[in-house]
Structure formats: C-alpha cells, structure tokens
Amino acid sequence: MKKQLRGSLSLLLATVIWGFAFIAQSVGMDLIGPFTFQAVRCFLAVLFLIPCAFVLDAGKCGFRESLEKWKNPTLWKVGAICGCALFVAASLQQIGLVYTDAGKAGFITAMYIVLVPVLGLFLKRKPPKTAAVSVALAVVGLYLLSCMGVSQINKGDLCLMGCALAFAVQINCIDRLAGDLDGLRLNCVQSLVVALLSVPFLAMTETVNVQNILSCWLPLCFAGILSMGVAYTLQIVGQKELEPTTAALIMSLESVFAALGGWLVLNETMTAWELAGCVLVFAGVILSQVPVKANREK
C-alpha cells in the first residue's frame, strides 16, 4: 500500500511539473527561438542527470562501476533512436507553442496516449477493444479544439498533432527497445541527442543572443531541470510501483494541469467549443487506458 501511494504521489508530482512546463516553454519563447530554447533546455537536463545517476548509484556500487554503466553500447544505440523520435516530438511541440495557447497545447499533446495502442498494431500488438471509440472521441475533440469557428486550421495545432504522433512513436520505441536499460541514463542520452540535433537547426533559423538566454533562465531551468530532469526521474520511480494502466491514467492529467496553468499564469481562456473539445479529448485519453475484462462466463 505504501509503495502504491509513493508511486501515485511521484507520478502526480511529475504530471504537475509537465503540465506547468507548457507555461515555461510558452513564456520562454517571448525572447528566444524554439530551437534555442530546446537546445539549452536539453543541455541543462543532461548536466542535471549525469550527477544524479552517480548519486543514485551511491551505496549500490563504486564510482568506477557506476562509470562503466555509461559505456554500454546498447544504451547509446537505443538512446540515439529514442532521441531522434523525441527530437521530432519536442521540436514540433516547441514550434506549435509559438502559435497555440499552452492549455490547448496540453490537450492536443495528450493525444499520444490514445495513439500509442493504435501504433502498436504495426508491432503486431492487439489494441484494447476501447481503442476505436477512444480515437473517435479524440478526433471529434480535436476538431472542436482546432477547426470549429475558424476559417483555417492553426498551423500550431497541426504541429502539435504531429508532436502527439511522434511522442507515440518514441514511447513505442522505448517499450520495444529499452528492455532492462537504466531509465535515468537512457533519458540522459536521449536528451543529449535532442540537444545536439537542435544545434544545426538553431544555427540555420535563429540568431543566438546570450543576454536573451540569460533573461530566460527561470523558464529554461523549469523546463530543463524540473521537467526533463526531476519529472522524468519521478516517472521512473512511480512506474516501478504502479501497474501501467494506473500510471497512464495519472499521467494523462498533464493536459488538465497545462490548461489550469495557462488560466492561472497566462490568463488564457477558451471558447465553449474549445472546452467541449478538451472534454472529448480527455475522455478519449481516459477510455483508452480503461482495461476491459474478458467475459469469463463466455
């Protein structure tokens, strides 16, 4: 019971951090471009996660043994694959937030939870019976969020839809390839990959201003250290204590906290149609994680 409570609280805190990270990402881009924000954010995460790995190993193994864990070639191979998928997802999310409110972005991004079992079909995994209804609810919700009452679809919304798909791919990659790899180190490697891939795009499309970067220290530290560092560590701790369905249900609250943060911090509001769309997307996300028990009598 204590383990379940600890796991639930860990995931809930991680979800709160992720939800409010949408605010940090949105505010941070008032002064710097999306790829600059992403590169600095991920480098901060790497700088935070490397010492964390050694601290967590303390008492379990010596410094040399802890250092040897970084030399695992499979860790770097899987980290590179997952990092490429995460780069696509994070880049589309960061660009999308330039044109879309943080609260709305949280609900569109949450579509990845619905898409994960659907993409599992390509891995020959049978999706739950509720998958079709979940997708239908989410699609209608997305229509209300992005298309109702507008002459054309917001390009930020399109980026976020692509982001949700890329996150679903990245999650399936981790599920299929990660195996028994150290989760903290894997997160560190994939964060490093995202940071390195962001640099050439930054150089081609944006002008780096050190003063502006320093002025964004708070959003960058929140998104880098808290969101990518602390929250992902809490996710690792939480998922070890809970069954996957319960964990996914708690993590789906990320969209709710994103909307709450947008309202409290940025004074964002939604139309009635957008609110209805949020409700349908959230319903689809929840339904996609509700287990359907087989009828034993049949």
Side-chain angles (χ1 to χ4, degrees):
M1 189 67 181
K2 289 184 178 179
K3 288 184 177 181
Q4 291 180 341
L5 180 60
R6 182 170 63 239
S8 297
L9 291 176
S10 296
L11 279 182
L12 185 60
L13 180 56
T15 302
V16 172
I17 294 173
W18 284 331
F20 280 84
F22 282 96
I23 315 304
Q25 290 172 253
S26 181
V27 171
M29 287 186 295
D30 289 342
L31 293 175
I32 58 178
F35 287 108
T36 301
F37 188 94
Q38 183 165 281
V40 177
R41 171 196 186 186
C42 290
F43 276 125
L44 285 173
V46 172
L47 292 175
F48 173 79
L49 289 167
I50 289 175
C52 276
F54 289 106
V55 170
L56 291 176
D57 284 340
K60 299 178 182 178
C61 61
F63 178 78
R64 289 185 179 180
E65 292 177 332
S66 182
L67 191 62
E68 284 295 319
K69 293 181 180 180
W70 290 101
K71 299 180 181 180
N72 183 353
T74 304
L75 172 71
W76 290 90
K77 181 180 178 181
V78 175
I81 294 172
C82 296
C84 288
L86 182 59
F87 168 74
V88 175
S91 299
L92 289 172
Q93 183 184 76
Q94 202 67 44
I95 295 170
L97 279 165
V98 175
Y99 308 100
T100 304
D101 291 343
K104 186 178 177 182
F107 279 95
I108 297 177
T109 301
M111 276 284 295
Y112 75 85
I113 298 177
V114 178
L115 294 173
V116 166
V118 175
L119 291 182
L121 284 170
F122 295 97
L123 301 175
K124 298 181 180 179
R125 293 176 180 171
K126 188 176 180 181
K129 295 179 180 179
T130 57
V133 179
S134 300
V135 171
L137 285 172
V139 168
V140 174
L142 281 175
Y143 178 82
L144 295 178
L145 264 173
S146 305
C147 304
M148 184 62 71
V150 297
S151 57
Q152 60 181 8
I153 299 177
N154 185 329
K155 57 184 176 181
D157 294 351
L158 289 176
C159 287
L160 289 164
M161 292 175 197
C163 153
L165 179 60
F167 269 128
V169 171
Q170 188 253 2
I171 289 168
N172 273 301
C173 286
I174 290 178
D175 186 53
R176 188 173 179 83
L177 302 174
D180 295 328
L181 292 173
D182 182 280
L184 191 68
R185 285 176 169 81
L186 179 58
N187 181 34
C188 185
V189 173
Q190 71 174 4
S191 296
L192 178 62
V193 170
V194 175
L196 293 176
L197 289 176
S198 299
V199 172
F201 287 90
L202 182 164
M204 290 186 294
T205 62
E206 299 171 14
T207 301
V208 178
N209 186 310
V210 177
Q211 186 58 47
N212 286 344
I213 293 175
L214 293 175
S215 298
C216 291
W217 69 271
L218 183 57
L220 283 168
C221 287
F222 190 99
I225 296 174
L226 284 180
S227 179
M228 296 201 72
V230 174
Y232 274 97
T233 303
L234 289 170
Q235 179 192 11
I236 294 168
V237 172
Q239 284 195 260
K240 287 181 180 180
E241 310 291 355
L242 298 172
E243 59 177 352
T245 300
T246 304
L249 285 171
I250 294 174
M251 287 189 287
S252 69
L253 293 172
E254 173 189 355
S255 58
V256 177
F257 289 117
L260 181 62
W263 175 62
L264 289 175
V265 180
L266 303 178
N267 296 317
E268 293 177 353
T269 58
M270 293 186 184
T271 66
W273 287 117
E274 288 175 334
L275 287 172
C278 289
V279 171
L280 289 176
V281 169
F282 190 63
V285 166
I286 296 296
L287 184 61
S288 70
Q289 298 301 320
V290 175
V292 179
K293 296 182 179 179
N295 190 330
R296 293 183 180 180
E297 293 180 0
K298 288 185 179 180

